[in-house]
Each structure stands twice: as C-alpha cells, then as structure tokens.
Amino acid sequence: MKIIGTGRSHPSLVVTNEMLSQILDTSDEWITTRTGIKERRVISSENLEDLAIDAAKKALADANMEAKDLDYIICANVVNEFISPAMSCLIQGAIGANCPCFDLNGACVGFIYALEIAEAFYKSGKYKNILVVCAEEPSRMVDWHDRTASVLFGDGAAAAVLTEGDNIKATKMSASCSWDRLYQKHELQYSPYNTKPNSNLPLVMHGQDVFMFATRAAIRDISAVLKQSGHTPDEVDHFLIHQANLRIINNIKQYVKQPDEKFPLNIDRYGNTSSASVPILLDEVNKEGRLKRGDLIVMSAFGAGFVSGACILEW
Ligand code: UT7
C-alpha cells in the first residue's frame, strides 16, 4: 500500500517549560537539556475525539478522498474519555464513513503497527482504502504533581489515508514484556466479588530503563528494515523517529551516521505524543513540501510493553 494523504490536529493550549516550573520542582534548563522539549500541547476544553476527527478530515481532504470510499478505519489509542465504544467508531460516525473499524493499543508504536496491519489487509485483497488515525492524551494518565513523567508528554492526533500500492518495503515489529517499567492500571468499579485491591494510580515510568530499551530497540529495528529491504542508511532520505527524547534520537543518528537534515524534529514543540508522534511529524514534513515522490522514509517507534517497530517505505 501507499500513503496518499496526511493530517494532524493539536489542542489549543500550549504549556511551556516555564509554566511547568511554576507548579513543579523543575526548570526549563533541566527539561531542555535532558529531553529537548520546550513546550507541549495539552487538552483543556477539547475532547480527544474532536482532535482525532479533525485530523481524519484533513487527511481525507489531502488524499482527495470521500469518507464513504473508506473500507476500514484503524485508530491507535491508549486512553481517552471512553473505555467503550472504540474511538474509531466515534471517528467513523463523525466523518460519515460506513466501513468497519477498530482500535489498537500499540502504545507509542501504534502508527507503525497500524501500517503493518493495513499492509496485510491489502494483501488479503479485501480492502483498498484505509484510514489510520492516531489520537493520544497522555495528560489524562500522568500525575501532574510528578515531575519525572508529566514534563515529557503532550496530547495530539494525526491521520494518514492509505490505498493500494507497493510502497512499504520492509517492517520489523517486536515485543518483549517488561510491563512494570512503564504502565498504568485501570480503576476498578465496585464489585461485591472482586477481592483484589483497587488501583487508581497514575502512569508509572522507570525512565532510565525505558531510555536504554528505546535506544537499543530502535537501532536493532532500523538495522533490520534496512537489511530486509537491501538499502543502506545513505539511501534513506528521512528518518522519522518517535519524538520521546532528543538524546535517544541523537543516539540513533550517531549509529546510522547520517546528517541532521535527515532527522526532522518537533519534540521541542509537542513533547512525546505517543502513537501520534510519528504521524504528526510525517504530516509536518509532508505539508512543508519536504517529501518528494520516490523518497525513502524510515519510521521507528518504541514504547510501553516494551514494544517497538520500524518500517521503510517509499513516498
Ligand atoms: O515513549 C516512551 C516513553 N518514555 C520515554 O521515552 C522516557 C525515556 N527516558 C527518558 O527520556 C529519561 O530517562 C528521562 C528524561 C525521563 C530522565 O532523564 P535522565 O537523564 O534519565 O534522568 P534521571 O532519571 O537519571 O534523573 C536525574 C535527576 C534525578 O535527581 P537526583 O536523583 O540525581 O537528585 C531526578 O530526580 O533529575 C531529577 N529529575 C528532575 N529534575 C528536574 C527527574 N525529573 C526531573 C524534572 N526536573 N522534571
């Protein structure tokens, strides 16, 4: 398959490092040097589904496609105001599509998981036009009193319209369970039978372990897709890396020995937007006119699980 349209949508509220240092024991200097983040967008009066729907409409317009021509909608999402129904169903109704849809929780790797699933759908011969939407609000998950996690994340949504083509050259997905390094549990509703303690805790993150996993996994996955597709790093035009920490991105850049221009960044403006991170970046470089037909793009992401994934595709 190939990507024929992209779109993105951000909450209106910009939360700067200075604003956070007024409510937390942190500083612009610490956040900038340890992460590369200067500000992030945070949901206030919006609902996440509004951003998801807006991003989906923009991607459809970019692809010059009507919602009724979609054969499937996949939404990557970790959490939103609804546990049920799925966010993809809300999007389906709002954009006027009549195709089946489902949500997937691939943490920060959701977009790359969705691309791999979409590719398998095309190969089945059953579906042609697929909308992938990634919509995330980690601001709902973190403890805003906890400086170690709250400063890292931002909310946002992005979408891509896919259709028939032969542009995905290789994918590499992986999972290795270390759930207790980065997780959040659901709150339990009252039950007369359940004897387990309730857990109503915010996101728990062991940052250094995640950092080490992310760097190793991204390097391994990128090497694997390059090898599988028979390309060298020199032949790649753009490396779209999950915007979780600038130091992780710099480690990857050093490994593939490629110049800064091949690594577009927006971590300074949005922080880590989970699965929306890579498609937000894709939409930015697309709308800035930086992508030419035939360009080779490597995408790589990593997140809670641990899960990771990379793909190489031709634009
Ligand atoms: O999508 C995947 C999601 N997660 C990630 O990608 C996170 C990956 N990990 C990271 O990005 C980094 O590990 C962090 C940015 C989270 C932390 O950076 P670090 O260089 O690993 O710092 P650290 O955890 O070793 O903490 C160093 C110090 C500690 O103080 P002490 O013990 O040295 O006195 C922390 O308490 O920095 C302190 N600290 C902070 N100080 C100011 C932790 N958070 C903050 C903060 N402001 N926000």
Side-chain angles (χ1 to χ4, degrees):
M1 53 87 173
K2 64 178 175 191
I3 299 175
I4 57 165
T6 62
R8 69 179 190 279
S9 188
H10 303 286
S12 55
L13 180 68
V14 177
V15 175
T16 62
N17 292 346
E18 283 80 10
M19 286 161 76
L20 288 179
S21 56
Q22 282 161 22
I23 55 168
L24 294 166
D25 179 17
T26 190
S27 63
D28 175 50
E29 200 265 331
W30 191 97
I31 302 172
T32 305
T33 52
R34 301 277 176 145
T35 72
I37 302 165
K38 298 295 283 181
E39 60 188 42
R40 69 287 293 140
R41 301 293 185 96
V42 176
I43 282 182
S44 49
S45 56
E46 309 92 342
N47 289 316
L48 184 62
E49 58 265 31
D50 301 333
L51 303 182
I53 292 160
D54 186 38
K57 286 180 176 168
K58 287 173 176 162
L60 282 167
D62 191 41
N64 209 8
M65 187 182 286
E66 306 265 340
K68 65 175 175 43
D69 296 325
L70 289 171
D71 299 311
Y72 232 105
I73 299 171
I74 304 172
C75 179
N77 170 256
V78 175
V79 73
N80 67 82
E81 69 179 312
F82 291 93
I83 289 176
S84 187
M87 168 85 83
S88 53
C89 232
L90 305 180
I91 299 167
Q92 192 249 29
I95 64 175
N98 45 31
C99 59
C101 58
F102 69 93
D103 282 13
L104 78 87
N105 178 345
C108 304
V109 195
F111 185 60
I112 300 174
Y113 267 100
L115 292 184
E116 172 156 280
I117 292 166
E119 176 76 350
F121 276 5
Y122 286 112
K123 286 187 172 152
S124 78
K126 229 174 140 186
Y127 307 111
K128 190 174 163 203
N129 301 324
I130 299 179
L131 172 68
V132 174
V133 186
C134 301
E136 303 284 8
E137 63 175 321
S139 69
R140 188 182 276 277
M141 303 167 72
V142 295
D143 174 358
W144 283 94
H145 301 98
D146 171 15
R147 66 179 184 173
T148 63
S150 59
V151 304
L152 303 177
F153 295 96
D155 303 326
V161 177
L162 319 175
T163 195
E164 284 171 314
D166 184 23
N167 294 32
I168 291 266
K169 301 304 173 193
T171 56
K172 159 81 180 163
M173 312 304 297
S174 75
S176 68
C177 180
S178 298
W179 68 267
D180 61 343
R181 304 292 83 192
L182 179 56
Y183 70 94
Q184 184 181 16
K185 294 187 176 182
H186 274 301
E187 188 176 3
L188 188 65
Q189 295 300 317
Y190 165 74
S191 158
Y193 308 113
N194 199 323
T195 55
K196 294 187 289 294
N198 197 356
S199 164
N200 182 20
L201 296 170
L203 186 80
V204 175
M205 186 182 72
H206 297 271
Q208 287 187 356
D209 293 348
V210 182
F211 190 101
M212 276 188 292
F213 159 78
T215 307
R216 283 193 204 125
I219 287 173
R220 182 199 59 212
D221 295 347
I222 292 171
S223 305
V225 293
L226 287 170
K227 192 167 171 210
Q228 250 183 72
S229 63
H231 288 290
T232 63
D234 289 348
E235 291 167 340
V236 176
D237 299 288
H238 315 274
F239 289 86
L240 305 188
I241 310 293
H242 174 40
Q243 306 282 293
N245 188 317
L246 187 56
R247 291 185 291 143
I248 297 176
I249 299 169
N250 285 339
N251 289 341
I252 298 168
K253 198 191 306 173
Q254 258 177 15
Y255 178 79
V256 294
K257 299 190 179 65
Q258 295 299 306
D260 291 356
E261 312 82 83
K262 289 193 181 184
F263 285 77
L265 299 172
N266 61 22
I267 186 166
D268 54 327
R269 285 169 287 132
Y270 304 128
N272 178 348
T273 54
S274 189
S275 74
S277 174
V278 170
I280 287 175
L281 195 58
L282 175 68
D283 185 54
E284 282 195 340
V285 292
N286 183 23
K287 299 290 163 61
E288 286 164 10
R290 290 168 67 179
L291 302 179
K292 298 187 301 296
R293 284 288 155 203
D295 275 2
L296 271 186
I297 302 175
V298 164
M299 298 179 186
S300 164
F302 34 80
F306 293 127
V307 290
S308 72
C311 69
I312 180 162
L313 58 89
E314 201 179 286
W315 186 249

